Amino acid sequence: MSIETTGHDHDPFRIGCAVDADALDDPVYRQLIPRLFRLITPENAMKFVSLRPSRDVFDFAAADRVMELAEAEGLAVRGHTLAWHSQLSEWVGELPAGERADVLRDHIHTVVGRYSGRIEQWDVVNEPLDDDGAPRRTPWFEASGIDYIADAFRWAHEADPSARLFINDYNVEDLGEKSDAYYVLVQRLLAEGVPIHGFGAQGHRIVGDPPTTMRENLQRFADLGLQVALTEVDIRMPVGVDEASVACVNAADLERQASDYTTMVAAARAVPECTAFVLWGLSDGHSWIPETFAGFGAAHVLDGRLQPKPAFDAVFGEQAQAAVEVEAALP
Ligand code: G3I
């Protein structure tokens, strides 16, 4: 296997990737990540349910594996995520609401404190608003109302003043009702002196439906003094089966996907304050999508055999001498 890529280390716009801690046992996966990316995000290893099997136990094993890769290879890290309604340990929901704020503060202090000075950006609060812009009724909201958002940012900043602290959500790439609500929320947080430093747009898209006003939308958050980032980009497409019952995709969709990635990279790059463009998965063989969206998949830049798709050059074209020669690395 040989990979020839040349990343421009001085370029503030970094292509990143979500890392599946379990996949690090695969030497090809482990080797590809640092060759292609300058920034990584643990896909699941730093989520509440991964870290907190019980109220009195913190399990950092998987998170530390991702950090070991990052620090061995000089990769920046986006920590993900501290306050979210999903992938929460069951015992949190069993707590009296009055105890949850203490649990969240202890969680954030402990987790952010453990990696203080080692994680560049944190998704402090993930998906706190519904698509209509109203606050999502999460276990944290039930306990403290909307103030849990400001509390979470303050606790994270107390634990690591050097980390850049982001609010993050999906369906906020373009101008619209939801991103407008974030624009109002972020301005209120800033006015209250809350240490919020970044706005993350996840970027989960369907082929043929690229964002159309993403540059303008991200730029308005940047004009508030924030960093912005594309934090979880993937572009799914319909996946069928051929007569041999082998999964297959439409060649036109692959080209359309490449065009959509090109559109998203260009819009993100056009915002000087955009510091990360994170792919939410290395390849179609390491993807959350098929289990979540039946009949869809093939969302990433490498296929299931780690071979580059047209989307690979769309993302890496100007950065990498994209000669990715990878044998069918997986058995
Ligand atoms: O760890 C368990 C394992 O013990 C068990 O045997 C296995 C079978 O059920 O499940 C494993 O947990 C899975 C986990 O990923 C780790 O692989 C969960 O079932 C599965 O639901 C979970 O999916 C993750 C999903 O978030 C959960 O909502 C995806 O990998 C992850 O890519 C996805 O990422 C989220 C971002 O964090 C936030 N934005 C949306 C994005 C997509 O949902």
Side-chain angles (χ1 to χ4, degrees):
M1 173 194 75
S2 68
I3 304 275
E4 292 171 42
T5 62
T6 52
H8 297 293
D9 287 351
H10 62 275
D11 185 348
F13 181 83
R14 293 160 301 177
I15 308 292
C17 189
V19 169
D20 174 358
D22 293 337
L24 291 175
D25 291 328
D26 172 351
V28 176
Y29 182 92
R30 168 72 178 70
Q31 190 180 7
L32 264 176
I33 296 290
R35 287 173 179 255
L36 291 176
F37 304 104
R38 293 172 53 210
L39 177 144
I40 59 175
T41 299
E43 183 175 9
N44 290 294
M46 289 186 184
K47 291 173 179 173
F48 203 102
V49 73
S50 303
L51 296 173
R52 307 295 299 279
S54 68
R55 184 170 183 176
D56 302 324
V57 175
F58 285 83
D59 179 358
F60 289 105
D64 285 349
R65 287 194 70 193
V66 177
M67 290 302 293
E68 182 278 329
L69 167 68
E71 293 173 331
E73 303 290 350
L75 306 176
V77 178
R78 298 197 80 258
H80 176 82
T81 180
L82 298 169
W84 189 30
H85 62 279
S86 184
Q87 290 180 273
L88 265 180
S89 311
E90 278 186 25
W91 57 265
V92 171
E94 294 157 6
L95 286 173
E99 291 187 29
R100 289 181 199 157
D102 289 344
V103 165
L104 184 58
R105 180 182 62 246
D106 179 46
H107 181 74
I108 293 175
H109 278 160
T110 303
V111 175
V112 177
R114 178 187 181 85
Y115 299 114
S116 182
R118 300 163 61 194
I119 286 184
E120 180 187 307
Q121 303 178 1
W122 271 104
D123 288 334
V124 175
V125 181
N126 191 45
E127 304 171 11
L129 302 185
D130 284 326
D131 278 348
D132 64 359
R136 188 188 292 266
R137 265 45 183 168
T138 73
W140 311 120
F141 178 87
E142 285 169 355
S144 310
I146 198 72
D147 289 346
Y148 86 91
I149 296 176
D151 290 342
F153 277 91
R154 290 193 175 102
W155 295 332
H157 189 63
E158 287 164 4
D160 183 357
S162 70
R164 299 300 85 192
L165 306 178
F166 279 64
I167 196 164
N168 187 54
D169 209 333
Y170 60 88
N171 289 353
V172 295
E173 295 79 36
D174 276 334
L175 297 166
E177 185 178 28
K178 191 172 186 180
S179 60
D180 287 349
Y182 275 104
Y183 191 60
V184 169
L185 172 61
V186 164
Q187 289 179 88
R188 180 168 67 75
L189 294 170
L190 289 168
E192 292 170 1
V194 173
I196 180 170
H197 311 113
F199 176 72
Q202 293 180 8
H204 298 296
R205 308 295 298 192
I206 296 175
V207 73
D209 179 31
T212 55
T213 56
M214 187 165 88
R215 186 194 61 74
E216 299 88 328
N217 180 45
L218 296 181
Q219 190 60 57
R220 67 172 170 167
F221 285 92
D223 292 345
L224 296 176
L226 297 180
Q227 288 188 31
V228 294
L230 268 291
T231 56
E232 306 179 19
V233 183
D234 46 44
I235 303 177
R236 62 185 180 268
M237 66 177 71
V239 176
V241 288
D242 63 18
E243 55 278 2
S245 298
V246 174
C248 63
V249 294
N250 180 312
D253 279 344
L254 288 171
E255 293 304 326
R256 204 170 291 125
Q257 181 186 55
S259 170
D260 293 351
Y261 270 108
T262 299
T263 298
M264 292 183 75
V265 169
R269 267 196 170 283
V271 182
E273 297 81 358
C274 185
T275 58
F277 189 97
V278 181
L279 303 178
W280 203 245
L282 171 68
S283 76
D284 296 342
H286 296 94
S287 180
W288 67 286
I289 293 211
E291 288 177 16
T292 307
F293 300 105
F296 281 84
H300 310 285
V301 298
L302 296 177
D303 69 16
R305 295 186 305 111
L306 296 175
Q307 293 302 312
K309 298 154 64 177
F312 182 87
D313 280 347
V315 171
F316 290 99
E318 80 269 23
Q319 282 195 26
Q321 318 307 324
V324 176
E325 297 149 18
V326 180
E327 297 82 40
L330 299 177

